Amino acid sequence: MSRLKATFEALKKINRKALIPFISAGDPNPEFTLPLMHAMVDAGVDVIELGVPFSDPMADGPVIQRASERALEHHTGLRKVLSIATEFRKTNQTTPIVLMGYLNPIEIMGYQTFADYAQQAGIDGVLTVDLPPEEAQECTALLKAREIDPIFLLAPNSHQDRVKKMDAIGSGYLYYVSLKGVTGAGHLDIADVEQKLAMIRQNTALPIGVGFGVKDAQTAKMIAKVADGVVVGSALISKIEANLDNLNQAKQEIIELLKSMRQAMDS
Amino acid sequence: MTEKYTMPDERGHFGPYGGLFVAETLIEPIKELNIAYQHYLDDPDFIAELDADLQHYVGRPSPLYHAERWSKVLGGAQIYLKREDLNHTGAHKINNTIGQALLAKRMGKTRIIAETGAGQHGVATATVAARLGLECVVYMGAVDVKRQALNVYRMKLLGAKVVAVESGSKTLKDALNEAMRDWVTNIDNTFYIIGTVAGPHPYPAMVRDFQTIIGREAKQQCLEQAGCLPDALIACVGGGSNAIGLFHPFIDDASVKLFGVEAAGDGIETGKHSAPLCAGRPGVLHGNRTYLMADDDGEIIETHSISAGLDYPGVGPEHAWLKDTGRAEYVNITDTEALEGFYALTRMEGIIPALESSHAMAYTLKLAPTMSKDEIIIVNLSGRGDKDMHTMAEREGIKI
């Protein structure tokens, strides 16, 4: 059983929802990422989405764009991200890691090589923003053969047939993008999310993570009521950006935000 | 080639290239667009409206001009220029924006967005948006805003909002990223007019289909004027829309050689260029698989060219396919060589070409003398040089 499946099943048994932070690997430097990952686990997160920096992050808002740019200043590309994951696995064999990014770094590395390296690095899931099911057959087959879950996005304008398609090709969990737009944008409409999740659940038994627009403990709590996992990204990365001259402070603020979310989600 | 060329397949693939590599939010609107496009492609009313606009608003057909003096001086092939520079707004770009804007109107979209490099596509989009009374936002890299100030002013005059994009390399690719972000946010009322034969399916095929008017006219004009097909076609390639527009109607004519000219910038060997077909590798960017300028980590490399319109790290997927199959040959021209092409046409024929088109002129300087006097080259003069006067004057140390 994949670590993701085990994690969601274990959470379900104790009636808890997954807290899933997204950070850009290598932001603002590669040394910052590994200790932050361990600290986030200590703060109570269940899965870590590790962003693979890309020069052209088309689906991301300004906060994650700038995070990618900071990371790329130190050349934190796909290889480096995999080496960070490898380090993490030396002391943590339980928390699932999901790589999230764009297809081109994987294309250039080659699907097979990437799948092998990801397996060796202890990666549990791969979410490729610009790889919809239409084009994903080859890549997902290689990942699944190595017990790595291919994770797909669902959007507010995804119809029922899309959900069925994702259910067939995806595993681990499905990531529902709660608004039309880029990461870090807009206002979350919880009633809208609830309605949409009901339709999605009729068409899949996979756990559903919800992201885009989760900013604080309150939004995390609201999402946790209807979803299986709460993804928070831009709000965390903003803490890094606001404290570039004091990274200990950045880390502390991230941990505090995650702890407040954990508490709100569990109460 | 015995079988008729029918690329792409129904899912937008040109062999391994092209396709639909976008985030989920764009799947539904792209599906809608594809359905609308396939429908109107065969709709006599739509085609009649498009043809009328091309004739009376754009000024088509554009002339095929025999550059006799230049041909004589070079002493080789007869050079014919396809005068896309004479179109309304001064380049081939409007062939496509007219088509897409009419489509947007029929789909009930009220807001148009576009990306632009040199500003030619932005101007052509702002122009048709003004004519149809549609709101228009154009994304342009901050570097390009500076070097193409005249076109920025033109777009503003036409009522468009021009957004200077400050992310990444601040050029065309970043403008495309930003336009994609706008689109994903405003998909309900917004139509994205992509200016080149790149992007997710159906854009590469759709933009091509609107641009093939260039090649269809050129073929007929060449038969009328010279009594035969040309022996070679030359066009510059950034994203590759003017080139595919000229090439496509000739793909099944095996005797016609196709030459796409990429921008070699400071020279291929310096790494400072915009020539993915000549010196890049296959990858995925902006919705399609194609040749790209990318490093070993798959990060996109910054490009360099004197011409903003060729300053793009990717290229239309159909060109990638034509390269791999050997049907077209892709060559490259440095900034310095492009300037030679610029001056040659200006002084020899009294036509000032755009810096993009100057790359095609520069390759003509090389190719024509190697051919015989009874052979014919058609060169796509894709745009006029007015927009580049500042760049040129600056290089010559003249203040305008």
Side-chain angles (χ1 to χ4, degrees), chain A:
Chain A
M1 189 191 296
S2 80
R3 256 188 292 255
L4 275 168
K5 193 164 186 223
T7 298
F8 277 100
E9 282 184 5
L11 285 170
K12 198 167 187 177
K13 271 183 197 151
I14 56 169
N15 202 23
R16 239 170 83 152
K17 301 302 174 69
L19 177 57
I20 310 173
F22 168 92
I23 54 167
S24 267
D27 171 32
N29 62 60
E31 292 74 36
F32 185 69
T33 304
L34 183 61
L36 177 61
M37 289 169 74
H38 286 303
M40 291 195 302
V41 172
D42 293 340
V45 310
D46 304 291
V47 177
I48 294 175
E49 285 186 358
L50 202 52
V52 182
F54 183 49
S55 52
D56 296 78
M58 283 154 285
D60 285 300
V63 172
I64 294 178
Q65 285 174 47
R66 288 192 295 264
S68 292
E69 284 178 17
R70 285 192 294 271
L72 289 174
E73 276 170 28
H74 301 277
H75 306 288
T76 308
L78 181 53
R79 282 180 179 76
K80 180 73 193 165
V81 178
L82 288 169
S83 76
I84 292 172
T86 304
E87 284 301 309
F88 178 80
R89 275 282 167 263
K90 284 182 180 166
T91 52
N92 180 324
Q93 282 88 44
T94 51
T95 309
I97 301 175
V98 173
L99 290 187
M100 183 167 179
Y102 295 81
L103 183 59
N104 198 51
I106 298 174
E107 282 264 327
I108 298 290
M109 183 179 274
Y111 290 170
Q112 175 122 24
T113 308
F114 167 71
D116 287 341
Y117 285 5
Q119 184 185 31
Q120 287 159 22
I123 298 299
D124 303 287
V126 176
L127 197 170
T128 313
V129 176
D130 54 350
L131 185 64
E134 282 80 354
E135 305 282 357
Q137 293 295 349
E138 187 188 345
C139 195
T140 50
L142 289 164
L143 293 174
K144 282 182 167 172
R146 290 161 183 76
E147 287 217 330
I148 298 173
D149 291 311
I151 293 161
F152 287 90
L153 295 171
L154 284 167
N157 56 359
S158 302
H159 295 313
Q160 190 167 318
D161 61 319
R162 297 296 295 175
V163 184
K164 286 184 176 150
K165 209 171 238 180
M166 307 299 180
D167 179 64
I169 194 171
S171 58
Y173 60 99
L174 292 175
Y175 184 144
Y176 177 62
V177 174
S178 57
L179 44 86
K180 292 176 193 164
V182 292
T183 49
H187 179 72
L188 200 59
D189 184 342
I190 189 72
D192 197 49
V193 172
E194 195 169 358
Q195 199 180 13
K196 198 74 196 185
L197 288 196
M199 182 280 281
I200 293 172
R201 286 194 195 283
Q202 278 170 9
N203 294 285
T204 182
L206 286 171
I208 316 289
V210 173
F212 282 38
V214 178
K215 288 178 165 43
D216 48 26
Q218 202 193 343
T219 40
K221 186 185 169 76
M222 289 192 302
I223 293 294
K225 279 186 183 150
V226 293
D228 303 298
V230 178
V231 186
V232 54
S234 296
L236 302 179
I237 290 168
S238 296
K239 304 290 186 195
I240 296 177
E241 193 162 68
N243 295 288
L244 285 171
D245 52 352
N246 185 352
L247 291 176
N248 272 333
Q249 178 71 21
K251 191 165 139 190
Q252 204 177 326
E253 289 187 19
I254 287 172
I255 297 311
E256 276 166 23
L257 179 58
L258 287 171
K259 279 183 175 165
S260 71
M261 288 178 160
R262 177 82 272 167
Q263 200 178 10
M265 287 162 60
D266 295 347
S267 66

Side-chain angles (χ1 to χ4, degrees), chain B residues 38-212:
Chain B
Q38 298 301 339
H39 171 76
Y40 288 116
L41 194 59
D42 296 324
D43 178 59
D45 285 347
F46 180 81
I47 298 298
E49 189 178 2
L50 177 63
D51 285 348
D53 274 357
L54 288 173
Q55 185 183 347
H56 302 295
Y57 189 69
V58 175
R60 305 205 70 92
S62 69
L64 184 72
Y65 165 70
H66 185 190
E68 283 183 78
R69 181 160 180 251
W70 198 28
S71 306
K72 197 175 259 179
V73 168
L74 293 182
Q78 299 307 307
I79 302 163
Y80 285 75
L81 303 173
K82 182 59 176 163
R83 298 291 309 272
E84 293 298 302
D85 61 317
L86 294 177
N87 292 339
H88 179 40
T89 71
H92 71 291
K93 291 292 184 188
I94 198 161
N95 302 330
N96 167 51
T97 60
I98 285 261
Q100 287 198 52
L102 290 179
L103 195 57
K105 205 176 87 176
R106 295 197 181 218
M107 289 174 72
K109 304 289 182 184
T110 56
R111 183 172 175 272
I112 297 287
I113 57 168
E115 84 295 335
T116 196
Q120 290 306 95
H121 173 60
V123 167
T125 304
T127 297
V128 297
R131 175 160 173 271
L132 297 175
L134 300 167
E135 184 190 345
C136 181
V137 179
V138 179
Y139 291 93
M140 188 168 187
V143 169
D144 295 335
V145 167
K146 221 173 258 173
R147 61 178 165 177
Q148 302 288 345
L150 188 62
N151 271 345
V152 174
Y153 181 60
R154 288 168 82 192
M155 287 184 267
K156 286 181 180 166
L157 273 180
L158 289 159
K161 183 179 161 198
V162 180
V163 180
V165 177
E166 298 283 353
S167 58
S169 61
K170 305 179 179 37
T171 60
L172 179 54
K173 80 174 174 71
D174 310 284
L176 231 148
N177 292 339
E178 208 55 40
M180 292 267 215
R181 290 179 190 122
D182 179 312
W183 196 25
V184 93
T185 309
N186 301 295
I187 41 180
D188 292 336
N189 70 344
T190 298
F191 190 105
Y192 180 15
I193 299 189
I194 293 184
T196 193
V197 284
H201 178 65
Y203 281 100
M206 177 171 69
V207 176
R208 174 197 73 194
D209 290 347
F210 287 133
Q211 290 293 2
T212 53

